[in-house]
Amino acid sequence: MFKFNLSGKMFTFPQQTSTTEVRFTTQRQDMRAVTVCLRSFTDLKREHSLFSLALPTGANGFLIIKSAQSDAFDIWVREQHVKIEAQDFKLNMWQSICATWDASSGLIQLWLNGKPSSKKYTSSGHSINGPMIIVLGQDQDSYGGGFDTKQSFQSFVGMMEDVHMWDYTLSPCEIQGYMDEHYYPEGNVLNWNSVEFQSVGRVLIEEKLRACN
């Protein structure tokens, strides 16, 4: 499979469906820490999946869900769940989102548009281990599938870009660099500028939306 440079591009998911997804390929099979960053744009008020990493041992290896509650996210790590609240999520605006987790402490933290959440405990002592399937656009209810358009964790509708994943926790300054679209290290697990992926269904690759000068 070829690697693609998606710099200056975005994925557009234009309709609710259980058959549309973007699937990333990675050879990494063991992570004792994780940072995932992405930018999303949507008008969805219902729950929807932003990032889904599944393992043969469990579908919720690392999962970021925007809750139907307007100011909340649900984060899953190794089948353990925590709710992050008091987040100023805006509809029909680009939202920069980063989530970090470290196995030694078990702490997870969400950053939204440059503002960090309180740290919360999820799962510690064990790494995210095994062949990983990473999907945008759907919540994996089973390893690599189980998509259901009628379930509460429904498909994503909107645009998404600048998806990166690291096997360590970025520093606050590095995360701020991502939020501001200034310098930040490229992901060493998923790198938007050199990534292997497969799209299924009606997913469009378009130029990024930016204000005219």
Side-chain angles (χ1 to χ4, degrees):
M1 187 178 293
F2 296 105
K3 289 191 175 183
F4 295 89
N5 183 353
L6 295 174
S7 177
K9 306 292 186 181
M10 66 181 184
F11 289 131
T12 297
F13 301 82
Q15 64 182 146
Q16 180 177 317
T17 171
S18 61
T19 58
T20 296
E21 62 169 296
V22 172
R23 184 172 299 204
F24 291 115
T25 300
T26 178
Q27 300 303 313
R28 198 63 51 91
Q29 294 197 18
D30 187 78
M31 296 188 295
R32 291 195 57 80
V34 172
T35 302
V36 171
C37 291
L38 58 87
R39 305 187 212 281
S40 72
F41 188 111
T42 187
D43 63 359
L44 293 177
K45 295 182 180 180
R46 59 167 170 78
E47 291 183 335
H48 54 275
S49 175
L50 291 169
F51 185 92
S52 175
L53 184 156
L55 303 165
T57 54
N60 299 320
F62 195 89
L63 177 64
I64 305 174
I65 295 286
K66 177 61 189 69
S67 172
Q69 182 181 333
S70 63
D71 65 346
F73 288 78
D74 293 294
I75 313 292
W76 294 77
V77 180
R78 300 184 65 254
E79 308 305 311
Q80 302 297 312
H81 165 256
V82 67
K83 184 175 285 292
I84 305 292
E85 299 184 277
Q87 299 297 302
D88 189 22
F89 186 86
K90 302 292 187 183
L91 299 180
N92 289 320
M93 293 181 64
W94 282 107
Q95 305 290 288
S96 294
I97 300 162
C98 290
T100 65
W101 168 78
D102 181 77
S104 59
S105 65
L107 295 180
I108 194 162
Q109 187 173 37
L110 183 82
W111 292 69
L112 178 64
N113 300 326
K115 298 180 180 179
S117 71
S118 295
K119 293 184 178 182
K120 293 191 175 182
Y121 178 81
T122 51
S123 173
S124 63
H126 298 280
S127 62
I128 296 174
N129 183 271
M132 303 172 192
I133 295 179
I134 299 171
V135 167
L136 304 181
Q138 303 286 344
D139 169 30
Q140 300 176 77
D141 277 344
S142 60
Y143 183 59
F147 309 140
D148 183 355
T149 192
K150 296 180 180 178
Q151 67 174 17
S152 59
F153 291 167
Q154 295 186 31
S155 60
F156 176 77
V157 180
M159 291 88 79
M160 200 174 293
E161 65 184 34
D162 292 341
V163 181
H164 289 266
M165 184 176 188
W166 299 260
D167 63 357
Y168 60 93
T169 55
L170 293 188
S171 71
C173 288
E174 290 170 328
I175 291 176
Q176 194 62 57
Y178 176 88
M179 298 286 166
D180 294 338
E181 299 190 52
H182 293 157
Y183 172 76
Y184 57 90
E186 294 179 337
N188 65 348
V189 180
L190 293 179
N191 176 1
W192 190 250
N193 302 317
S194 179
V195 66
E196 296 179 9
F197 72 93
Q198 178 184 12
S199 63
V200 178
R202 187 168 282 118
V203 183
L204 307 177
I205 300 176
E206 299 187 294
E207 297 294 324
K208 281 186 179 182
L209 294 178
R210 289 295 181 266
C212 298
N213 295 325

